[in-house]
Amino acid sequence: MKHLLIIDDDAVSVLILKKMLVNAGFLDIPMVFQNGNIAVEFLNKNYNSNDFYCIFLDINMPIMNGWEFLDIIEPTINPTNFLVYLLTSSTSEQEKAKAKNYKCIKRFISKPINKEILNEIKEKFIENISLKIYKEAGNSISYK
Amino acid sequence: MQKDKKNYKLIVVEDNIGDYYLLEEFLNEKIENPTIFHFVRFKDLFEFQEQITPDIDLIFLDLSLPDKNGTDLIVEVLKISKKIPVIVLTGYTDFSFATKSLALGISDYLLKDDLSSPTLYKSIIYNIERNNSLVKIQESEQLYSDLFQLSPLPICVYDIETLLFLDSNEAAVNLYGYSHDEFLKLKITAIFNEEETIEQEENVARIMTHKKKNGDLIFVDIRSNTIVFNGQKAQIILANDITKSLNHIKKIEVQNEKLKEIAWTQSHVVRAPLSQILGLAQLVLDDKNVSEETKELIAILNNSAQELDKIVKEIIDKSKEISLNE
């Protein structure tokens, strides 16, 4: 199973991202969370370490911001198939540097995200899934 | 025998004409043409006081004059003698009194019956020289006192044992608001703000919070040193008031905080709606169903938004310099 998640409180940003995901050829319908806390609740119930997660995460949100979300969720997930794309209107170097402390953050993107980056993300997402399938297939072959 | 050719100016107050002539003779034996001002009564000397100038070398004073004598005479003469050495001339009967008169401030006494030209001359030379040295020492003491009193930096001295102030200069009086006498009744701790303590180390330099008489708190850069003051082990402290400059720095820091807030607003708040405009414009430009005419307009909108974005980024870059300067 693969999951596409958007965690962002800004409705316009979510609208733009959704449309761009469709334009870029993402087939999955994204799940949208208004803040980190709702996303944590969802993942606590439904996280499966064998599934693939592609997450667009905003930093500035009410109740629980992007950093707080990562601090809670990172110890519980498998960073190889939990790809976080930090999507923020900030261009601050400090935040960019902070992003390097989290293994699951694959990229720091200043809004608005462009088509080229989205295409790369899509490929990575697909590649990640293929790799996983290939590995499992390989394992099962050698196992037998 | 060579006579001393220096132009001596001497005052002689003597009512006994015989004694006066004898003295004059002895003087003339050793000194060439001395200038002598002779007075018989104290009243005459008193009337002459305007003309008693520093170029007069000595005053000879007989202790029993018709209008004044004894202690009273010495005290009155010293009042108008203007630091010129006074040598008392006396007979055997007044001998014990003559020794006491030294304590009153006269330079020397000579017994009339023992007088000879060599003893007189020796006394003149000795007392003039001694007085010159005394004046120099007094001037030097005055200079040091002035250096302390007139220093533009507040200076205080306090006793290390009792912590009581021993001295304070004018600048300290002006800074703290205590008079010199009030200072002498206070301990050093009286000018400290509550949390301050005494440092006993030598050459300490530190910033302290002090309290003025009116309760105002001031920041002072303190330098101190151990000295011996009138035989007591004391600490001399120099207090430089840096309240103004510290407050100035604090104001700048507050302003820096505000500038950082503005930078944060630029980075996060202003850029949020701007990124939406940029994103929406991109969506319209990518939409195949939108007419070319609309796309042209949206392209212009997109360019304007990107220009604005560039300006916002420049402001953010400049704001980074504020943090770097810290």
Side-chain angles (χ1 to χ4, degrees), chain A residues 104-117:
Chain A
C104 61
I105 296 178
K106 297 296 176 275
R107 207 160 173 166
F108 182 96
I109 304 156
S110 286
K111 286 180 187 176
I113 191 166
N114 64 38
K115 285 177 283 184
E116 290 72 25
I117 293 175

Side-chain angles (χ1 to χ4, degrees), chain B residues 10 125 207 240 253 263 269 271 281 283 286 308 324:
Chain B
L10 308 166
I125 299 299
I207 291 167
N240 190 13
E253 276 170 358
V269 184
R271 233 201 141 257
L283 277 178
D286 290 344
L308 188 57
L324 278 176

Side-chain angles (χ1 to χ4, degrees), chain B residues 2 31 114 220 274 283 286 320:
Chain B
Q2 266 314 84
I31 300 167
D114 283 353
V220 280
L274 185 56
L283 277 178
D286 290 344
K320 273 179 213 151

Side-chain angles (χ1 to χ4, degrees), chain A residues 10 60 89 91 111 115, chain B residues 268 271 276 278 286 316 320:
Chain A
D10 185 80
N60 294 301
S89 50
T91 57
K111 286 180 187 176
K115 285 177 283 184
Chain B
H268 293 83
R271 233 201 141 257
Q276 290 172 354
L278 288 165
D286 290 344
I316 294 164
K320 273 179 213 151

Side-chain angles (χ1 to χ4, degrees), chain B residues 134-147:
Chain B
L134 277 176
V135 168
K136 270 181 198 158
I137 288 168
Q138 278 168 359
E139 279 172 359
S140 158
E141 276 177 355
Q142 187 60 42
L143 179 70
Y144 274 95
S145 172
D146 284 352
L147 280 177

